[in-house]
Amino acid sequence: MKGSRFRKLFLAGRDLPLGRDASSRFLVWIIGFMVILGSLSLASAMLLSDVGQGWRDELAGKLTVQIMPEADGEDAATTLDLRVRMAEQFLVGRPGIARVETLADSRIAMLLEPWLGPQSREDALPMPKLIDVQLEPGSGIDIPDLTRRLAELIPGSAIDDHGVWLTRLLTLTGAVETTALSILGLILLAATATVVFTTRAGLAIHDKEIELLHLVGAEDHYIAHQFQAHALTLSFKGGIAGSLVAAVALTALGFIGQGSAIGMIPPITLSVSQWLVLALLPLATSLIATLTARLTVMRSLARMS
Amino acid sequence: MDRKKDVVRFQNVGMRYGLGPEVFHDMSFGVKAGSFRFLVGPSGAGKSTLLKLMYLAHRPSRGLIHMFGHDTATVARKDMPAMRRRIGVVFQDFRLIDHLSALDNVALPLRVAGANEEQLSDHVAELLRWVGLENEIHSLPSRLSGGQQQRVAIARAVIGRPDLLLADEPTGNVDNTIAMRILYLLEELNKIGTTVIIATHNEALISRFKFPQLRIEDGRVIDTGAETGAPASRTTNEAAGRGS
């Protein structure tokens, strides 16, 4: 009984020589390429999602106070330090503020180095002072009011809550992520269409054998089973091959990205759960191909006779 | 005629292909369960078309066809396979599947009916031995002669013990010895209750096996069995004289 069920599930397809069709041989390659593209799209979407979430986690509840240097001359640095201390005193202990930390000059220079080069460390340019402010969760602090009062106390100061550019960046990454997922959807749609055309070609090529099967009493689902088993085999082969190629490509990108990760761009590495999601793609493709082949055959046969 | 026992019943059936002329018209006849009939007529008279209507490959242009008591026009599509499994067909062009062995070709009707694979092989091999193809069980049709292919086609038609066996020139590619053997096989099937209709030009067979005839003349069918009141099978004397 188990053997018979196994045959029905996986070995059906012997009655119709579907493997001999040129169109079905191409299906392995097409599915393989589509799974490569689909895996890369899906990985891109997941990485972008991670990047956005990372930015949100890192910058949520944070403010940066910027104190611009105002005076030139020998006492400029002293004046700036004095204004920074005044700002710290203003901020520390205010309701809703958990931590206040002034960034060291070396740290500011390091942040600016990618844009200004090593000269930013040589005091060649007047550098602002930056104060990192951590807000208490759910503080509901009135940022515009805080900004106004600080500016009254210390002219030339400004508060950046990162909201404006973070929103823009998240909108951008969201759009790219949506595009990547749309591409994945289009790839799956194209794969579905390919299976439909291949199956229809198979039906046309083997119409005599199909008619014979009907005449000896085969039900439509017996014939459909042969096509779906064939589609399952081909799409699984193509899907696994495509997944392996995509995995190699993503691993290589990860290695390359490790050395060049800068600033806010994280390295291209996927988590275990993300790899598992990618591993589901060939399975999903096989499932789609199998169902598509079945539906195509059942609909086509229903239109006959 | 007892319509309840008619395996095949045609009522005013007409058939045309596309917009062409009618192959036959107002064809009315019945074939009782357990009958044996030769279907005869000149070339182009419509013997093959008549068989195609019986094995449900075509629908008539007009008229009613009842198979096993069911009006084929009203049989639901999902019920057609079960009806077709009651009919064994030997096609004139054999219609064997090229890439399947003789065994797998013969096993096809059982396999589509969901028969057990283990039992199926023994049963099929035994039948192939009976038709003299014990050494060709695993041969592909392309390696078989015309006569051997015909015997595979016959084995496929009878493997499922059909209620109705339709054969289109089943002895066209075999020598007289094999032809007689095939007819005896079909006669044995008839004896255990299978209704047999054979379209043939083989006058030697027709004269030797004196079964009633369905004769197509001028687009109509004349059932010599119905006219003469002949029994379904040959007379005892004829049967006793066979194979001598």
Side-chain angles (χ1 to χ4, degrees):
Chain A
M1 184 67 79
K2 279 183 182 173
S4 176
R5 190 171 296 168
F6 180 80
R7 185 189 184 281
K8 278 184 178 177
L9 274 174
F10 295 105
L11 299 183
R14 292 201 313 153
D15 298 339
L16 299 173
L18 299 172
R20 293 179 183 177
D21 304 346
S23 56
S24 69
R25 283 199 293 273
F26 281 119
L27 190 62
V28 179
W29 288 94
I30 292 169
I31 294 288
F33 285 128
M34 287 182 174
V35 168
I36 292 172
L37 297 174
S39 297
L40 295 178
S41 298
L42 185 58
S44 305
M46 290 191 295
L47 284 169
L48 283 168
S49 176
D50 276 1
V51 168
Q53 191 58 47
W55 288 342
R56 264 189 224 100
D57 292 345
E58 192 177 325
L59 299 176
K62 280 189 177 177
L63 302 175
T64 300
V65 177
Q66 183 176 270
I67 313 289
M68 296 299 292
E70 281 195 322
D72 288 336
E74 289 179 359
D75 60 342
T78 310
T79 307
L80 185 57
D81 287 341
L82 185 65
R83 292 165 68 213
V84 168
R85 277 197 296 276
M86 285 171 66
E88 282 176 342
Q89 285 168 4
F90 173 77
L91 293 166
V92 170
R94 292 194 78 81
I97 292 180
R99 185 177 56 81
V100 176
E101 182 189 357
T102 301
L103 297 189
D105 289 347
S106 58
R107 170 82 176 133
I108 296 171
M110 199 173 70
L111 289 172
L112 293 174
E113 192 175 311
W115 286 272
L116 301 180
Q119 66 187 24
S120 63
R121 292 174 182 263
E122 297 170 0
D123 293 334
L125 293 170
M127 290 294 147
K129 290 285 188 180
L130 298 177
I131 302 171
D132 203 6
V133 178
Q134 179 71 52
L135 303 178
E136 288 172 353
S139 64
I141 200 163
D142 186 348
I143 306 292
D145 179 61
L146 188 71
T147 306
R148 184 180 50 76
R149 292 172 69 180
L150 185 65
E152 282 172 5
L153 180 68
I154 307 163
S157 67
I159 294 179
D160 181 6
D161 67 352
H162 315 298
V164 175
W165 69 267
L166 183 61
T167 303
R168 285 180 185 165
L169 268 180
L170 290 178
T171 304
L172 179 65
T173 55
V176 177
E177 190 182 331
T178 306
T179 305
L181 288 174
S182 302
I183 289 170
L184 175 65
L186 286 173
I187 288 167
L188 290 176
L189 203 63
T192 305
T194 305
V195 173
V196 169
F197 288 126
T198 306
T199 305
R200 283 187 182 165
L203 284 166
I205 291 167
H206 301 291
D207 63 334
K208 296 289 180 195
E209 288 95 341
I210 290 167
E211 185 189 13
L212 177 71
L213 288 174
H214 271 146
L215 290 177
V216 298
E219 293 175 8
D220 288 350
H221 66 76
Y222 179 89
I223 297 164
H225 208 98
Q226 306 210 8
F227 278 90
Q228 75 188 54
H230 185 62
L232 172 64
T233 307
L234 296 184
S235 58
F236 192 70
K237 282 182 189 171
I240 292 295
S243 271
L244 289 175
V245 173
V248 169
L250 287 167
T251 306
L253 279 173
F255 277 119
I256 294 166
Q258 263 181 348
S260 59
I262 53 163
M264 301 181 70
I265 307 299
I268 305 169
T269 51
L270 293 166
S271 66
V272 173
S273 60
Q274 287 171 329
W275 279 114
L276 285 175
V277 170
L278 284 182
L280 289 177
L281 192 59
L283 301 179
T285 308
S286 300
L287 184 67
I288 290 169
T290 305
L291 290 175
T292 302
R294 180 178 182 83
L295 289 174
T296 304
V297 174
M298 293 298 281
R299 288 187 64 181
S300 299
L301 293 181
R303 280 198 290 266
M304 292 180 186
S305 70
Chain B
M1 184 177 284
D2 183 358
R3 293 183 181 192
K4 285 185 180 174
K5 290 188 178 179
D6 281 347
V7 170
V8 179
R9 177 151 198 85
F10 278 45
Q11 287 178 285
N12 303 313
V13 171
M15 180 66 192
R16 70 169 81 234
Y17 290 100
L19 298 174
E22 279 197 319
V23 180
F24 41 72
H25 51 88
D26 294 328
M27 194 173 270
S28 298
F29 66 94
V31 179
K32 287 184 183 299
S35 301
F36 196 125
R37 293 285 189 276
F38 284 120
L39 178 60
V40 297
S43 293
K47 297 190 294 294
S48 294
T49 300
L50 193 61
L51 290 180
K52 282 176 183 172
L53 288 171
M54 289 187 209
Y55 61 71
L56 309 172
H58 288 328
R59 290 182 185 277
S61 306
R62 59 190 173 88
L64 294 175
I65 297 176
H66 286 80
M67 300 295 293
F68 312 108
H70 300 284
D71 179 358
T72 57
T74 61
V75 173
R77 183 178 158 74
K78 66 180 175 60
D79 297 326
M80 288 294 251
M83 186 175 279
R84 282 174 170 144
R85 282 177 207 158
R86 298 178 69 182
I87 306 169
V89 187
V90 182
F91 300 97
Q92 191 170 18
D93 55 355
F94 319 139
R95 300 186 71 169
L96 302 178
I97 295 182
D98 293 339
H99 75 288
L100 295 184
S101 67
L103 186 140
D104 284 329
N105 266 291
V106 175
L108 209 52
L110 300 180
R111 201 164 268 154
V112 300
N116 184 304
E117 285 288 324
E118 287 77 24
Q119 292 174 350
L120 183 148
S121 291
D122 292 342
H123 192 39
V124 173
E126 187 184 334
L127 184 57
L128 281 170
R129 270 193 294 277
W130 199 91
V131 294
L133 293 174
E134 62 272 19
N135 296 322
E136 306 292 348
I137 284 175
H138 299 293
S139 297
L140 295 176
S142 57
R143 296 193 59 185
L144 300 174
S145 68
Q148 288 173 322
Q149 289 184 34
Q150 193 148 33
R151 279 181 275 165
V152 173
I154 290 166
R156 184 181 63 192
V158 304
I159 189 76
R161 294 268 181 89
D163 293 327
L164 172 64
L165 183 75
L166 304 171
D168 198 354
E169 300 286 358
T171 58
N173 290 282
V174 294
D175 60 33
N176 277 341
T177 308
I178 296 293
M180 291 300 164
R181 198 170 174 182
I182 287 169
L183 259 291
Y184 290 139
L185 165 66
L186 300 183
E187 188 177 31
E188 289 303 317
L189 277 170
N190 177 241
K191 281 180 180 172
I192 59 172
T194 300
T195 307
V196 179
I197 300 175
I198 299 174
T200 184
H201 279 108
N202 192 327
E203 291 297 334
L205 279 184
I206 294 169
S207 59
R208 178 157 188 144
F209 292 82
K210 296 188 184 309
F211 290 113
Q213 297 173 12
L214 291 171
R215 189 179 302 138
I216 301 179
E217 288 180 4
D218 300 325
R220 295 173 189 274
V221 166
I222 298 163
D223 186 353
T224 61
E227 278 181 347
T228 60
S233 298
R234 292 185 293 161
T235 62
T236 310
N237 288 343
E238 288 162 354
R242 72 173 185 196
S244 58

